[in-house]
Amino acid sequence: MKKIAGTVFGMMMILAAGSSAFANGTKDSGSVTAVTVTASGSSALLPLVKDAAAKYKSVNPAVSVNVSGGGSGTGLAQVSDGSVDIGNSDVFAESKLSADKAAALVDHKVCIITMAPVINNELAKTVKNLTKQQLIGIFTAQTKNWKEVGGPDEPILLVTRPTTSGTRALFKQYALDNNEEASNKSLETDDSGTLLQTVSGNKGAIGYLALSYLVNNSAVSTVSIDGVAPTMQNTYNGSYPVWGYEHMYTKGTGNKAALDFIAYITGSDYGKLMEAQGYCVTSKMKVTR
């Protein structure tokens, strides 16, 4: 009788241990423990990473990817100090971090992003193209009324981004020839959705957005630069100049869960979904930087 009781007790302990392991997200025979990957940074890359996170979860239910914006500078600072696993950025790390901190990060280029000047739809009835010099004049606040560039007699309203923004850094370099952008603190935002709404709601407004925020969206209008429209085709062939690489940085080599997620985004299967969201596939570029 004692032997039987001991056997039953032993079986109960094994079952309890198995139940506890299941509750904690683990199982025997090599199953995956539930993990969370954290990423922050670029607002331009945010829609893509959110979409990829949801699709990745559907095929890897044990892995959750928590994604937030905040701008490239924020993402790079947080991955550098270990606050997040992945720092998303529109620019190279060395443009936002000290040389030693940037050197400690590993760059994973995931796609190409195109940045477009955007204006209010009413304004777009007369303003469809700007030369680069006109664009520089507008964003440095030297040009203050749309009539100065062939538009209506309407004050120009700049909708600007903070200095931590990678989108701002990219636009400054390739659209403004490194001229310093004037800051309109009252309307400064690194939330691309907020910027889109502000430009849409103010007749004289101008700002800039990634094409990923303009797919199937007619709330604002894009402006050509020197006669070249900001399209994916013109980005691929090199005729439109305002584009850059989108980066996902890890500290050192990064942890396995983060690397697996990055591998998923850069893989051929998910690559087919990038263009539909307004992102260019790196392998199709005719020019490089």
Side-chain angles (χ1 to χ4, degrees):
M1 180 66 71
K2 288 182 179 180
K3 183 176 181 180
I4 293 173
T7 301
V8 171
F9 178 75
M11 291 177 66
M12 289 175 66
M13 291 297 289
I14 291 171
L15 288 171
S19 177
S20 175
F22 182 80
N24 287 314
T26 62
K27 293 187 291 183
D28 291 335
S29 303
S31 65
V32 179
T33 302
V35 297
T36 299
V37 175
T38 53
S40 73
S42 165
S43 63
L45 192 56
L46 187 61
L48 182 77
V49 182
K50 280 187 171 181
D51 178 78
K55 289 181 171 60
Y56 188 70
K57 178 75 172 178
S58 69
V59 295
N60 296 277
V63 183
S64 297
V65 183
N66 294 340
V67 189
S68 61
S72 299
T74 297
L76 289 168
Q78 290 184 337
V79 73
S80 176
D81 68 21
S83 301
V84 297
D85 300 310
I86 299 170
N88 300 324
S89 178
D90 310 323
V91 293
F92 289 96
E94 51 266 31
S95 69
K96 295 289 183 182
L97 299 176
S98 62
D100 58 326
K101 289 184 177 180
L105 303 182
V106 174
D107 183 8
H108 309 269
K109 295 186 184 73
V110 295
C111 60
I112 301 289
I113 194 69
T114 302
M115 300 298 177
V118 292
I119 58 176
N120 178 273
N121 285 336
E122 183 65 25
L123 182 62
K125 293 177 181 179
T126 52
V127 178
K128 302 182 183 301
N129 175 71
L130 293 167
T131 67
K132 182 174 278 192
Q133 286 307 308
Q134 287 174 329
L135 199 66
I136 291 170
I138 289 170
F139 276 97
T140 57
Q142 300 302 305
T143 304
K144 300 181 182 298
N145 193 296
W146 285 106
K147 67 182 180 182
E148 298 177 59
V149 291
D153 186 2
E154 182 76 32
I156 293 172
L157 179 66
L158 290 177
V159 186
T160 61
R161 293 173 180 270
T163 55
T164 56
S165 169
T167 300
R168 174 173 172 151
L170 193 153
F171 193 80
K172 173 186 174 182
Q173 182 174 0
Y174 297 113
L176 306 181
D177 287 347
N178 281 316
N179 285 278
E180 195 62 51
E181 177 184 332
S183 290
N184 180 2
K185 295 294 184 181
S186 65
L187 293 177
E188 190 172 276
T189 179
D190 201 37
D191 185 316
S192 293
T194 299
L195 189 147
L196 188 152
Q197 291 177 351
T198 303
V199 172
S200 174
N202 292 277
K203 184 178 178 181
I206 183 170
Y208 44 89
L209 286 167
L211 286 191
S212 54
Y213 283 89
L214 300 171
V215 174
N216 300 320
N217 192 325
S218 58
V220 295
S221 298
T222 61
V223 181
S224 296
I225 302 176
D226 289 327
V228 182
T231 65
M232 292 175 65
Q233 180 180 357
N234 288 338
T235 301
Y236 278 136
N237 65 32
S239 61
Y240 184 76
V242 193
W243 61 269
Y245 297 103
E246 285 296 333
H247 314 261
M248 297 179 77
Y249 280 95
T250 56
K251 190 168 186 178
T253 55
N255 62 58
K256 184 179 185 303
L259 293 178
D260 286 348
F261 177 58
I262 293 171
Y264 172 78
I265 291 181
T266 56
S268 58
D269 288 342
Y270 189 75
K272 298 172 185 175
L273 307 176
M274 284 187 178
E275 291 182 318
Q277 299 177 69
Y279 298 88
C280 293
V281 180
T282 306
S283 62
K284 291 187 178 182
M285 292 294 293
K286 304 298 183 185
V287 294
T288 58
R289 285 178 177 153

